[in-house]
Short mmCIF file of all heavy atoms in Angstrom, two decimals:
data_model
loop_
_atom_site.label_atom_id
_atom_site.label_comp_id
_atom_site.label_asym_id
_atom_site.label_seq_id
_atom_site.Cartn_x
_atom_site.Cartn_y
_atom_site.Cartn_z
N GLU A 360 -104.02 -4.84 3.52
CA GLU A 360 -102.69 -4.39 3.05
C GLU A 360 -101.83 -3.89 4.24
O GLU A 360 -100.57 -4.15 4.26
CB GLU A 360 -102.83 -3.26 2.02
CG GLU A 360 -103.03 -3.78 0.68
CD GLU A 360 -102.98 -2.68 -0.37
OE1 GLU A 360 -102.29 -1.64 -0.15
OE2 GLU A 360 -103.65 -2.85 -1.38
N ALA A 361 -102.48 -3.15 5.18
CA ALA A 361 -101.67 -2.63 6.30
C ALA A 361 -101.16 -3.75 7.19
O ALA A 361 -100.00 -3.80 7.58
CB ALA A 361 -102.58 -1.68 7.08
N ALA A 362 -102.07 -4.83 7.40
CA ALA A 362 -101.57 -5.97 8.15
C ALA A 362 -100.45 -6.75 7.45
O ALA A 362 -99.42 -7.11 8.09
CB ALA A 362 -102.77 -6.93 8.36
N MET A 363 -100.50 -6.89 6.08
CA MET A 363 -99.48 -7.42 5.34
C MET A 363 -98.18 -6.65 5.55
O MET A 363 -97.09 -7.27 5.85
CB MET A 363 -99.89 -7.47 3.78
CG MET A 363 -98.74 -7.81 2.90
SD MET A 363 -99.14 -7.51 1.19
CE MET A 363 -98.76 -5.85 0.97
N LEU A 364 -98.28 -5.33 5.36
CA LEU A 364 -96.98 -4.51 5.38
C LEU A 364 -96.41 -4.55 6.84
O LEU A 364 -95.18 -4.48 6.94
CB LEU A 364 -97.29 -3.10 4.96
CG LEU A 364 -97.70 -3.01 3.46
CD1 LEU A 364 -98.21 -1.55 3.16
CD2 LEU A 364 -96.48 -3.38 2.50
N SER A 365 -97.20 -4.71 7.79
CA SER A 365 -96.67 -4.67 9.18
C SER A 365 -95.94 -6.00 9.48
O SER A 365 -94.85 -6.13 10.03
CB SER A 365 -97.72 -4.34 10.24
OG SER A 365 -98.15 -5.49 10.96
N VAL A 366 -96.49 -7.09 8.95
CA VAL A 366 -95.83 -8.45 9.03
C VAL A 366 -94.53 -8.53 8.24
O VAL A 366 -93.53 -9.15 8.58
CB VAL A 366 -96.84 -9.60 8.71
CG1 VAL A 366 -96.11 -10.88 8.32
CG2 VAL A 366 -97.80 -9.76 9.69
N THR A 367 -94.49 -7.89 7.02
CA THR A 367 -93.41 -7.98 6.13
C THR A 367 -92.44 -6.83 6.22
O THR A 367 -91.50 -6.69 5.45
CB THR A 367 -93.84 -8.11 4.66
OG1 THR A 367 -94.49 -6.93 4.29
CG2 THR A 367 -94.79 -9.22 4.42
N ALA A 368 -92.61 -5.92 7.23
CA ALA A 368 -91.82 -4.76 7.41
C ALA A 368 -91.72 -3.95 6.07
O ALA A 368 -90.70 -3.53 5.63
CB ALA A 368 -90.38 -5.15 7.85
N GLY A 369 -92.90 -3.80 5.48
CA GLY A 369 -93.02 -2.94 4.28
C GLY A 369 -92.86 -3.53 2.93
O GLY A 369 -93.03 -2.81 1.93
N VAL A 370 -92.72 -4.87 2.94
CA VAL A 370 -92.54 -5.51 1.60
C VAL A 370 -93.85 -5.90 1.02
O VAL A 370 -94.69 -6.44 1.71
CB VAL A 370 -91.63 -6.78 1.69
CG1 VAL A 370 -91.55 -7.45 0.35
CG2 VAL A 370 -90.24 -6.38 2.18
N ASN A 371 -94.04 -5.57 -0.33
CA ASN A 371 -95.32 -5.95 -1.09
C ASN A 371 -95.24 -7.39 -1.28
O ASN A 371 -94.81 -7.78 -2.41
CB ASN A 371 -95.50 -5.00 -2.21
CG ASN A 371 -96.59 -5.63 -3.12
OD1 ASN A 371 -97.43 -6.25 -2.78
ND2 ASN A 371 -96.48 -5.17 -4.42
N THR A 372 -95.81 -8.20 -0.48
CA THR A 372 -95.79 -9.72 -0.79
C THR A 372 -97.09 -10.08 -1.46
O THR A 372 -97.04 -11.06 -2.32
CB THR A 372 -95.71 -10.52 0.54
OG1 THR A 372 -96.45 -9.87 1.50
CG2 THR A 372 -94.32 -10.64 1.03
N HIS A 373 -98.20 -9.49 -1.09
CA HIS A 373 -99.44 -10.04 -1.65
C HIS A 373 -100.51 -9.01 -1.93
O HIS A 373 -101.72 -9.14 -1.78
CB HIS A 373 -100.11 -10.93 -0.55
CG HIS A 373 -99.52 -12.35 -0.49
ND1 HIS A 373 -98.92 -12.81 0.64
CD2 HIS A 373 -99.37 -13.27 -1.45
CE1 HIS A 373 -98.53 -14.04 0.46
NE2 HIS A 373 -98.73 -14.36 -0.83
N ARG A 374 -100.04 -7.79 -2.49
CA ARG A 374 -100.99 -6.73 -2.77
C ARG A 374 -102.05 -7.16 -3.86
O ARG A 374 -103.30 -7.01 -3.64
CB ARG A 374 -100.23 -5.51 -3.28
CG ARG A 374 -101.11 -4.34 -3.59
CD ARG A 374 -100.41 -3.00 -3.37
NE ARG A 374 -101.30 -1.98 -3.24
CZ ARG A 374 -101.43 -0.96 -4.07
NH1 ARG A 374 -100.72 -0.94 -5.23
NH2 ARG A 374 -102.33 -0.09 -4.02
#
Side-chain angles (χ1 to χ4, degrees):
E360 270 188 31
M363 167 192 87
L364 293 172
S365 105
V366 162
T367 64
V370 176
N371 166 22
T372 40
H373 281 123
R374 182 151 198 248

